[in-house]
């Protein structure tokens, strides 16, 4: 008890003022945080995609696929050029926020999904940046030595997996639409002569894995930081019916 003041009020049973509900709520916040457990197939498929890209860096057969695909696309579409892929790559992630604004709510609130997307973007951009700088693969158009992997494709598939995770329980078609936009982004990177097939495949795998990793990491960060700050101490009102006194109490809770 920090302080108390005499009060002329109706007698109240002090048992009605309990910290049980408050402490239970605080402890339940930790228990309510659900872990994300991706399936083996959900990890294996994008991992194989990334592995394909690394294998294609030296394998003659896969290198041949890169060059023959590029040659066929340029032969059939010699003057093709578009900037749509520069915007399409962001469409799946932005669609998640647009759907929420339209009243179609996903798995997380604004704060949580933004944190997850931020972690995904951090993992994806750092991975892509490191690989681009370390592999020095020449782009098909001969412009720069940072072709591997495709950053546009990685961004698009990161957003597509984000859209799938948020809306798979609402309707799987939202995720399908996100993946369709991501696939279109990767295809346009090939048609624009900016990437090899292996660049696009690897970028897609990195984008998917980055989002899956973010959904796995975020619940652990919530337990590590959010509940601790909320469970250190509370200030509660108190009332003693016998002495007709009111005041406040500082209650320390275990972490």
């Amino acid at each position: 008890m920090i302080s108390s003041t005499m009060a002329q009020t109706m007698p109240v049973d002090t048992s009605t003022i309990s910290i049980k509900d408050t402490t239970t709520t605080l402890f339940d916040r930790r228990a309510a945080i659900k872990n994300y457990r991706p399936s083996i197939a959900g990890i294996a498929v994008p991992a194989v995609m990334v592995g394909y890209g690394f294998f294609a860096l030296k394998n003659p057969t896969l290198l041949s696929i890169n060059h023959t695909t590029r040659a066929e696309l340029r032969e059939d579409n010699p003057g093709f050029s578009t900037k749509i892929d520069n915007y399409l790559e962001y469409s799946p992630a932005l669609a998640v926020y647009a759907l929420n604004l339209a009243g179609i709510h996903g798995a997380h609130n604004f704060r949580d999904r933004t944190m997850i997307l931020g972690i995904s973007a951090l993992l994806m951009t750092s991975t892509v940046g490191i690989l681009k700088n370390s592999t020095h693969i020449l782009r098909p158009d001969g412009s720069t030595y940072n072709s591997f992997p495709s950053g546009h494709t990685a961004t698009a598939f990161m957003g597509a997996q984000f859209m799938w995770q948020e809306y798979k329980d609402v309707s799987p078609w939202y995720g399908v639409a996100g993946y369709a936009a991501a696939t279109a982004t990767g295809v346009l990177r090939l048609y624009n002569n900016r990437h090899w097939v292996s660049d696009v495949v690897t970028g897609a795998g990195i984008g998917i894995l980055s989002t899956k990793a973010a959904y796995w990491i975020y619940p652990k960060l919530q337990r590590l930081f959010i509940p601790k700050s909320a469970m250190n101490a509370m200030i509660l009102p108190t009332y003693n019916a016998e002495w007709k006194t009111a005041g406040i109490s500082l209650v320390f809770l275990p972490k």
Side-chain angles (χ1 to χ4, degrees), residues 86-102:
N86 292 331
Y87 309 100
L88 191 61
E89 62 174 316
Y90 302 110
S91 62
L94 293 177
V96 172
Y97 290 89
L99 287 169
N100 274 271
L101 287 174

Side-chain angles (χ1 to χ4, degrees), residues 46-130:
V48 168
M49 296 168 72
V50 174
Y52 173 92
F54 279 100
F55 196 49
L57 293 175
K58 299 295 183 180
N59 182 267
T61 301
L62 298 184
L63 284 173
S64 176
I65 292 175
N66 281 347
H67 289 279
T68 55
T69 302
R70 184 252 183 184
E72 290 178 4
L73 290 176
R74 300 314 295 171
E75 180 181 355
D76 296 338
N77 307 273
F80 184 88
S81 178
T82 182
K83 294 184 179 180
I84 295 176
D85 48 339
N86 292 331
Y87 309 100
L88 191 61
E89 62 174 316
Y90 302 110
S91 62
L94 293 177
V96 172
Y97 290 89
L99 287 169
N100 274 271
L101 287 174
I104 306 173
H105 300 293
H108 292 87
N109 58 33
F110 178 85
R111 181 198 64 190
D112 290 341
R113 68 173 176 269
T114 302
M115 290 292 292
I116 291 170
L117 182 60
I119 296 170
S120 302
L122 178 62
L123 294 173
M124 183 273 295
T125 54
S126 58
T127 302
V128 169
I130 291 172

Side-chain angles (χ1 to χ4, degrees), residues 191-230:
Y191 272 88
N192 275 332
N193 200 29
R194 294 291 289 167
H195 282 289
W196 308 102
V197 171
S198 57
D199 300 341
V200 170
V201 174
T202 305
I206 291 173
I208 295 170
L209 288 175
S210 296
T211 300
K212 285 180 176 292
Y215 275 90
W216 180 79
I217 291 171
Y218 187 62
K220 294 171 174 52
L221 292 178
Q222 284 182 298
R223 292 190 186 92
L224 184 62
F225 295 110
I226 298 176
K228 285 186 176 181
S229 61

Side-chain angles (χ1 to χ4, degrees), residues 18-30:
S18 172
I19 67 170
K20 180 179 180 181
D21 293 339
T22 307
T23 57
T24 299
T25 300
L26 291 170
F27 283 110
D28 283 348
R29 286 180 60 190
R30 177 174 290 182

Side-chain angles (χ1 to χ4, degrees), residues 26 225-234 250-255:
L26 291 170
F225 295 110
I226 298 176
K228 285 186 176 181
S229 61
M231 294 170 60
N232 287 335
M234 289 188 304
L250 182 63
V251 180
F252 290 92
L253 301 176
K255 294 182 180 180

